[in-house]
């Protein structure tokens, strides 16, 4: 029987793997013949190299021949030779955040094994329900728990109005108003940032993501994230984060910061969209025709709900746009899965 990796007591001043996000989900993937290999979690992905964290601290990994850094995401778990740091294979991801950029045939990996996705927006012109819905569909499809964070409430005449709009985007959605620079922000987000938990930050540039990462990481972090301002006339920020990276949270968890994204294309996200627009998904089976487009057919339950004033017609317009966009993109699974050189289908 393979000895559990958490039993390794020979390392100098080791920390429990569970504090790095390790769980039975990953332990169960290890094979008996891999007993001499050790788990590492990807901390940064560069053009030609990877860095990782282990029980004893940060390391630089050596990629096997013919593998590429683009096959890996920040937050991935891999196993490697503890003597040479030669990467052996990547473990199957529990969750994976990815987006498709315009003109690209393959998704761009934003993070892996993320428990909670913090969607950061501000109480000004940056607040855009359609864009927030895209982030929510992304989170739902990935299997992560979405939480919307509202910043710059002090600049809004009625911050609670933004909160109500955000809460209406998806059933049961958690929405938190906070000041990223305040120490109270860490306390407000503590329920999602416990020991071994991993969160990721997404949102436009200038809304306070990097500032919030610094606040969560605390004053003892080795390398603070650079922060920038925001143009008041259009609420657009300057890009200060240019790459993804894994940071320790003072409370014991981990946070992945991502570059600001104003364009987010949705692909192969039927489950995420269905969860996001649950009120439409539940009405659809009540339509007279099974292939109802909810546009002009008689006996359409969705149009009936709009006529009755219980469904916002703008929600239907945005639902239709996301469904069309999602179904018009081809499925790509090469970057998902378990091995260092070959992918498997995504697991939730």
């Amino acid at each position: 029987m393979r000895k559990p990796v958490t039993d390794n007591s020979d390392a100098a001043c080791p920390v429990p793997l569970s504090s790095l996000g390790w769980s039975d989900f990953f332990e169960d993937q290890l094979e008996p013949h891999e007993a001499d290999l050790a788990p590492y979690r990807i901390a940064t992905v560069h053009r030609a190299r990877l860095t990782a964290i282990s029980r004893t601290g940060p390391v630089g990994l050596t990629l096997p021949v013919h593998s590429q850094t683009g096959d890996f995401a920040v937050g991935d778990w891999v196993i490697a030779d503890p003597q040479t740091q030669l990467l052996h294979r990547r473990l199957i991801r529990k969750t994976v955040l990815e987006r498709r950029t315009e003109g690209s045939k393959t998704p761009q990996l934003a993070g892996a094994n993320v428990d909670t996705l913090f969607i950061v927006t501000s109480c000004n012109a940056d607040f855009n329900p359609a864009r927030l819905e895209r982030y929510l569909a992304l989170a739902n499809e990935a299997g992560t728990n979405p939480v919307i964070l509202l910043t710059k409430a002090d600049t809004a005449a009625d911050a609670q109005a933004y909160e109500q709009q955000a809460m209406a985007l998806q059933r049961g959605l958690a929405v938190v108003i906070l000041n990223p620079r305040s120490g109270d922000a860490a306390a407000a987000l503590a329920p999602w940032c416990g020991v071994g938990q991993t969160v990721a930050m997404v949102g436009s540039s200038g809304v306070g993501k990097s500032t919030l990462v610094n606040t969560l990481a605390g004053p003892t972090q080795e390398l603070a994230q650079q922060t920038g301002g925001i143009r008041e006339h259009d609420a657009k920020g300057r890009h200060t984060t240019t790459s993804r990276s894994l940071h320790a949270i003072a409370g014991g968890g981990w946070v992945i910061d991502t570059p600001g994204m104003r364009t987010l294309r949705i692909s192969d996200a039927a489950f995420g969209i269905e969860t996001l627009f649950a009120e439409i998904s539940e009405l659809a089976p009540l339509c007279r025709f099974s292939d109802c487009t909810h546009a002009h057919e008689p006996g359409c339950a969705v149009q009936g709900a709009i006529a009755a004033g219980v469904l916002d017609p703008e929600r239907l317009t945005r639902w239709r746009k996301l469904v069309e966009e999602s179904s018009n993109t081809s499925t790509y699974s090469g970057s998902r899965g378990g091995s260092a050189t070959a992918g498997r289908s995504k697991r939730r």
Side-chain angles (χ1 to χ4, degrees):
M1 180 180 295
R2 189 189 195 282
K3 183 180 180 181
V5 294
T6 49
D7 287 349
N8 179 10
S9 58
D10 297 330
C13 302
V15 297
L17 275 173
S18 58
S19 69
L20 306 182
W22 185 264
S23 67
D24 289 343
F25 177 85
F26 305 107
E27 181 82 36
D28 291 344
Q29 296 181 46
L30 302 179
E31 303 292 341
H33 68 274
E34 297 172 333
D36 293 332
L37 302 176
Y40 297 85
R41 195 168 191 198
I42 302 298
T44 63
V45 179
H46 301 278
R47 186 180 300 273
R49 62 188 177 90
L50 301 172
T51 66
I53 52 173
S54 68
R55 298 187 69 203
T56 55
V59 298
L61 296 177
T62 301
L63 284 170
V65 178
H66 303 310
S67 63
Q68 301 177 355
T69 59
D71 296 331
F72 302 90
V74 171
D76 268 334
W77 277 100
V78 300
I79 51 176
D81 187 317
Q83 304 301 320
T84 65
Q85 277 75 56
L86 177 64
L87 192 152
H88 177 65
R89 70 180 177 97
R90 182 183 66 224
L91 300 183
I92 293 174
R93 296 159 176 153
K94 192 174 183 179
T95 64
V96 56
L97 291 166
E98 58 187 16
R99 66 163 183 151
R100 190 178 297 274
T101 56
E102 190 170 0
S104 174
K105 295 181 179 179
T106 60
Q108 182 183 74
L109 298 172
N113 302 313
V114 174
D115 299 294
T116 301
L117 182 66
F118 287 146
I119 303 169
V120 190
T121 187
S122 49
C123 298
N124 54 26
D126 178 76
F127 187 92
N128 184 313
R131 187 169 68 247
L132 292 175
E133 286 171 346
R134 287 173 176 268
Y135 284 127
L136 289 169
L138 172 76
N140 296 337
E141 190 68 23
T144 67
N145 175 43
V147 178
I148 290 184
L149 308 184
L150 295 175
T151 65
K152 306 185 187 299
D154 57 317
T155 67
D158 186 3
Q160 279 65 42
Y162 287 97
E163 181 183 28
Q164 292 301 316
Q165 289 184 68
M167 292 176 64
L169 295 177
Q170 181 169 303
R171 292 178 184 171
L173 180 63
V175 179
V176 181
I177 299 176
L178 49 73
N179 178 356
R181 298 184 183 278
S182 170
D184 294 339
L189 301 182
W192 300 282
C193 300
V195 175
Q197 292 293 298
T198 302
V199 301
M201 301 270 185
V202 295
S204 302
S205 300
V207 295
K209 298 194 311 300
S210 295
T211 299
L212 191 53
V213 168
N214 292 338
T215 298
L216 291 176
T220 60
Q221 63 178 313
E222 294 182 2
L223 182 63
Q225 290 289 85
Q226 183 182 358
T227 61
I230 190 169
R231 302 198 302 257
E232 295 301 333
H233 70 280
D234 60 2
K236 292 183 179 180
R238 305 178 183 90
H239 290 272
T240 53
T241 300
T242 57
S243 62
R244 295 166 184 82
S245 51
L246 187 67
H247 300 259
I249 297 175
W254 299 88
V255 57
I256 299 174
D257 192 14
T258 64
M261 293 186 290
R262 280 199 165 266
T263 301
L264 179 64
R265 292 173 60 83
I266 297 298
S267 63
D268 308 315
F271 174 82
I273 295 172
E274 180 179 353
T275 303
L276 172 61
F277 296 96
E279 72 275 34
I280 297 176
S281 302
E282 291 172 358
L283 285 170
L286 304 178
C287 294
R288 180 182 301 177
F289 302 106
S290 59
D291 59 348
C292 184
T293 64
H294 315 312
H296 51 71
E297 293 88 346
C300 174
V302 175
Q303 286 295 333
I306 291 176
V310 296
L311 177 63
D312 183 357
E314 291 297 320
R315 283 278 284 180
L316 180 61
T317 299
R318 297 197 297 266
W319 167 84
R320 183 174 287 111
K321 183 175 182 179
L322 287 186
V323 168
E324 181 179 0
E325 184 176 315
S326 177
S327 60
N328 285 343
T329 54
S330 60
T331 301
Y332 175 81
S333 60
S335 65
R336 304 169 180 171
S339 71
T341 56
R344 301 178 189 172
S345 61
K346 180 172 65 177
R347 258 184 88 173
R348 290 193 179 88

